[in-house]
Amino acid sequence: LCDTPEEAMDFFSRQRTANSKATVTQGVTGVSQRRYVRYIHSVFERGGYSLQRLVLERVVMHTCPALDRDGGCDPWLVIEENLQQVMDWRTQHQVRNMRSSDISIEFDLRKMQADGTRGKGISLVGDVKLTMYEQDFRGNKERLSFYLWFHTGFVEGHHLSFSKDEIDIAAADKHCRVFKDGFSIELFFGDPAAQMTMSRSTSAAEPAARFRKVAPASFRVLENAQKQKQMIQAKAKEQENAILKGRMGFMGIASPTPSSCAGTCTSMNPKIGSIDTEGGNGGFLRALSSLPPISEGPLNETSASLLDRCNSGLTGELTASSLGANTAERKTPHGDAGAGEVSRGGGDAVS
């Protein structure tokens, strides 16, 4: 139905919102959700995705969220792999205070060895959720600060960075009351092949990545999607025309038709009979401006005056007063009162 992730999300929001006149749609609002929609688009482009294992070593948070009364915070994080918690910072480390003036704070996930060196980090594969909490020591309470989701199969290299508008909850802080513009999260990964242990049931380290193929859509699925897209576009066009006609009716504007203005319109030029009147009086004036020059057809003085304005690019200057004046000075070509009424109606419509 759609060619890009953005078009797909926009289509989904319009279809999900029950009220077609609503100013706010109910679409894919979570930034992590939108990230996964782009993942899916990438999967179809590549024909699959890599199920690679990564080793997360460090998490760095830049700028301090104003979660305490003094503008600081007491952050600690939890990491989940495929909806299973694999790390809780508080169980292994002490929660530290971050002052408002601090540039960044680092969470080193590598275990400290007996010799004082750092060991390996946390092995992750698949869907990963990183959640940051704020520790309130006064009430011994905790509260959610922000979170983000990503998939290891779409990480390139050993570094991954998320700006403020790519982090859930933080992205909603448009006025920077808690999260500054420079707020971001950086993830640093190690080499999984070098850090895989031999303690698992296998005698060798498992492969760093496995490519999972995704079968392309069948011709029938694509054909049905194309038909559905055409139906949706036709329905949207009908709704647009209905809204336009409703507005014109509210303003007391009658949409001119070739039959109702035969006495006046056809005298201007025979081609006026094929005008698309769906656009109302605006479409009528646009049709006038698309007619051939004055010299190509028999015209009376009133018609010549109108077409002269159109050919000069001055259609927008047509007002009720100018059209009314022309109508009062000149009678209709065949003395048709009905045509005269249409001309006066057109003047009211432009005003």
Side-chain angles (χ1 to χ4, degrees), residues 3 23 29 69 156 241 260 281 301 308-309 322 332 338 343:
D3 298 325
T23 57
T29 56
R69 294 181 179 179
E156 298 180 357
N241 292 338
S260 63
N281 289 279
E301 183 177 345
D308 181 58
R309 290 174 178 268
S322 62
T332 56
S343 299

Side-chain angles (χ1 to χ4, degrees), residues 7 41 48 57 67 96 114 128 143 152 174-175 192 222 228 232 318 326 334 341 349:
E7 290 180 3
H41 179 258
E57 295 183 340
L67 297 172
R96 295 173 294 168
V128 178
R143 54 177 172 169
T152 60
K174 304 298 183 182
H175 300 287
L222 295 176
Q228 186 177 0
I232 293 171
L318 293 175
N326 289 332
H334 305 290
E341 292 177 0

Side-chain angles (χ1 to χ4, degrees), residues 195-221:
Q195 301 192 42
M196 290 302 299
T197 63
M198 307 290 290
S199 60
R200 300 188 181 183
S201 58
T202 57
S203 58
E206 62 184 69
R210 299 187 304 274
F211 189 80
R212 290 190 172 182
K213 295 183 179 180
V214 175
S218 65
F219 174 78
R220 180 174 296 180
V221 171

Side-chain angles (χ1 to χ4, degrees), residues 259-278:
S259 59
S260 63
C261 60
T264 301
C265 300
T266 55
S267 65
M268 294 181 183
N269 195 294
K271 296 182 180 180
I272 200 69
S274 61
I275 291 177
D276 180 11
T277 58
E278 291 185 359

Side-chain angles (χ1 to χ4, degrees), residues 9 32 65-66 68 85 95 111 122 161 179 189 193 228-229 234 239 246 248 286 297 302 306 342 344-345 347 350:
M9 289 184 282
S32 289
D68 291 339
Q85 181 175 307
V95 177
K111 295 181 179 180
I122 299 176
S161 179
F179 302 94
F189 302 94
Q228 186 177 0
K229 183 177 182 179
Q239 292 177 348
M248 293 178 63
R286 284 193 297 273
T302 303
L306 290 174
V342 171
R344 289 193 295 273
V350 176

